[in-house]
Amino acid sequence: MIRITEYAGRDVAVYGLGRTGLSAALALKAGGARVHAWDDNEETRAKAEAAGIALSDINKRDWQTFAALVLSPGIPYKFPQPHRLVRMAEMTGVPVIGDMELFARAVQALPERGRPKVVGITGTNGKSTTTTLIGHILKEAGRDVRVGGNIGTGVLDLAALHSNAIYVLELSSYQLDLVKSLHCNVAVMLNLSPDHLDRHGGMDGYQAAKMRIFQNQTPQDLAVIGFDDIYTQSMAIGLSASGPQRVTQISSTYTLGKGVSAVEGRLYDNLNGKAEFIGKLEDCPALQGRHNFQNAAAAYATCRALGLDPATIMAGLKSFPGLAHRMENIGAIDGVRFVNDSKATNAQAAEQALRAFKNIYWIAGGVAKAEGIMPLAPLFSHVSKAYLFGQAEEAFTATLQGKVPVQACGTLDRAVDQAFRDAKAAGDTSPVVLLSPACASFDQFKDYEHRGDVFRSLVKAMMSAPLKESA
């Protein structure tokens, strides 16, 4: 745990006691703050109380006494409208911050020589894979690396700060909205496409939130920026012209005059203006597909900036085991392959999986994003049949009608069962039952991880069923 001592002896309100909120409350308590923690969900409150956090209904407290409101990133800060407690904080002059800001201030409070390195990764798609990949390469190279933030372990639950450590942090736009002091020695912006627009008041607000990852960088720091979409191209050009930090461009589409390219799976280091071939990404089983080529290029540029040599980085790319719920190969039954891509919560993320396979028996659905699945139309030819569930079932059926055979299944278990039956009976070459929902999960599941876990369990049960029958 990273103890937060800034508020020792003072009252701090913590609202939202999920993973990040609970870790913030515990870190503040450990640092001597008087924590007033609350969540509107009774079950979540009970879990926090069991973890040692005393509950205090901050709706009924005197807000003049609070030194800060620590807000869970899942709670609306500005859009579509500020949460009532955010408005209360603003009316009483109480600063609104998040767990990442607490971490940033704790780092800045250390003497400069005693500060750890901080690597921040953001973007619309690929940030979890890139975060995990960078952590894996650094760990394999013997570095003291801690991986967390918006993925896995909350930032304040990571091991205590010290100067030799490297914190590799996935940063969501919600978290970045709540930071002011975060200083990334290496800041990675992978890509940008419309997402979470309701929470940021439109694309301009979403882009502005993402840009906050660069806000405290100095000439000694590095910005690694994708060059494969118009938004990040603009960022790369703008920061190169006027930003204090150094900029490295990365691409899986273009052979860059200077930067790191991974075009058609061939990784090139052109950081010094002279292209050096590093290796073939086809030798990296968990990094297939153009989206993963961009992730590999970003990881390579980051690890080079942290002092690793090309051969060490390439070895780490080859040994990377992949990310759960992101094009995760579960196994095969009677020649039918099952792939868990539950992390594809929008059309842009699902595009990567649909592009990677043919003869797809596609399971999709949940809570649809604004763009739906129409952007995936050029890849519908890869889909043998679609199996839909959740709130998006009706809308997705309308989009697919006349283009792809479609079946409304209602629930994930029915979709898995029917997709397997059809894939097995069709006689296609290398059929794939693919869970790539292109939707948020909150209608039927806690989160995308829960959805992916259920899919994996359903497939594993099917795999073991023949053994049970013959026993």
Side-chain angles (χ1 to χ4, degrees), residues 16-76:
L17 296 173
R19 178 172 60 93
T20 59
L22 180 58
S23 68
L26 291 168
L28 286 161
K29 179 183 175 183
R34 292 189 293 270
V35 177
H36 301 263
W38 190 252
D39 193 294
D40 290 342
N41 183 282
E42 185 177 352
E43 182 180 346
T44 305
R45 291 200 303 269
K47 289 180 181 177
E49 202 166 25
I53 294 298
L55 300 174
S56 173
D57 188 350
I58 57 179
N59 294 279
K60 302 174 182 178
R61 303 288 304 189
D62 177 7
W63 278 70
Q64 301 288 345
T65 66
F66 290 143
L69 167 63
V70 179
L71 190 70
S72 168
I75 295 166

Side-chain angles (χ1 to χ4, degrees), residues 116-120 183-187 217 220-223 246 306:
K117 296 285 187 186
V118 177
V119 178
H183 171 217
C184 295
N185 302 97
V186 182
Q217 288 196 294
Q220 287 71 50
D221 302 320
L222 178 68
R246 296 172 290 123
L306 294 171

Side-chain angles (χ1 to χ4, degrees), residues 106-123:
V107 172
Q108 293 303 306
L110 296 171
E112 190 165 349
R113 290 171 119 188
R115 294 174 189 170
K117 296 285 187 186
V118 177
V119 178
I121 300 96
T122 197

Side-chain angles (χ1 to χ4, degrees), residues 18-306:
R19 178 172 60 93
T20 59
L22 180 58
S23 68
L26 291 168
L28 286 161
K29 179 183 175 183
R34 292 189 293 270
V35 177
H36 301 263
W38 190 252
D39 193 294
D40 290 342
N41 183 282
E42 185 177 352
E43 182 180 346
T44 305
R45 291 200 303 269
K47 289 180 181 177
E49 202 166 25
I53 294 298
L55 300 174
S56 173
D57 188 350
I58 57 179
N59 294 279
K60 302 174 182 178
R61 303 288 304 189
D62 177 7
W63 278 70
Q64 301 288 345
T65 66
F66 290 143
L69 167 63
V70 179
L71 190 70
S72 168
I75 295 166
Y77 175 42
K78 296 178 181 177
F79 299 98
Q81 60 183 15
H83 189 276
R84 66 180 187 280
L85 294 180
V86 173
R87 293 198 300 271
M88 180 69 75
E90 290 172 343
M91 284 190 293
T92 52
V94 175
V96 181
I97 59 177
D99 66 323
M100 200 61 66
E101 176 66 12
L102 292 174
F103 167 81
R105 292 184 185 183
V107 172
Q108 293 303 306
L110 296 171
E112 190 165 349
R113 290 171 119 188
R115 294 174 189 170
K117 296 285 187 186
V118 177
V119 178
I121 300 96
T122 197
T124 302
N125 296 307
K127 53 187 178 290
S128 293
T129 297
T130 304
T131 301
T132 309
L133 177 58
I134 292 169
H136 171 79
I137 295 169
L138 292 169
K139 184 177 180 181
E140 291 294 293
R143 300 296 183 91
D144 182 358
V145 60
R146 295 96 188 268
V147 179
N150 192 51
I151 181 176
T153 305
V155 65
L156 298 177
D157 284 331
L158 296 172
L161 303 168
H162 74 78
S163 59
N164 292 324
I166 303 173
Y167 289 81
V168 181
L169 307 176
E170 178 183 323
L171 300 169
S172 72
S173 58
Y174 299 168
Q175 289 173 311
L176 286 167
D177 246 351
L178 293 166
V179 297
K180 295 178 181 175
S181 310
L182 183 66
H183 171 217
C184 295
N185 302 97
V186 182
V188 180
M189 174 74 71
L190 292 166
N191 48 62
L192 205 67
S193 57
D195 199 17
H196 305 305
L197 300 189
D198 59 326
R199 279 289 302 269
H200 297 287
M203 192 63 192
D204 287 347
Y206 179 52
Q207 183 170 347
K210 292 291 192 182
M211 285 288 289
R212 294 172 75 88
I213 196 171
F214 304 120
Q215 66 183 345
N216 294 312
Q217 288 196 294
T218 71
Q220 287 71 50
D221 302 320
L222 178 68
V224 176
I225 305 179
F227 206 72
D228 294 339
D229 64 78
I230 58 172
Y231 299 106
T232 53
Q233 285 174 9
S234 175
M235 291 180 196
I237 293 168
L239 286 178
S240 295
S242 60
Q245 64 275 84
R246 296 172 290 123
V247 175
T248 290
Q249 297 173 7
I250 58 159
S251 179
S252 61
T253 304
Y254 306 104
T255 301
L256 299 170
K258 189 172 183 181
V260 178
S261 304
V263 180
E264 296 182 355
R266 295 176 65 84
L267 183 63
Y268 283 91
D269 179 337
N270 200 12
L271 294 169
N272 297 316
K274 182 179 179 181
E276 177 186 357
F277 175 65
I278 303 301
K280 297 179 180 178
L281 294 178
E282 67 185 35
D283 297 330
C284 309
L287 294 171
Q288 300 307 296
R290 192 171 71 188
H291 63 296
N292 275 322
F293 298 164
Q294 186 189 59
N295 298 337
Y300 179 89
T302 299
C303 292
R304 286 290 284 140
L306 294 171

Side-chain angles (χ1 to χ4, degrees), residues 328-349:
E328 175 189 5
N329 186 21
I330 304 299
I333 307 173
D334 296 336
V336 178
R337 183 177 172 191
F338 292 83
V339 175
N340 172 16
D341 195 42
S342 181
K343 200 174 190 307
T345 58
N346 57 40
Q348 288 76 25

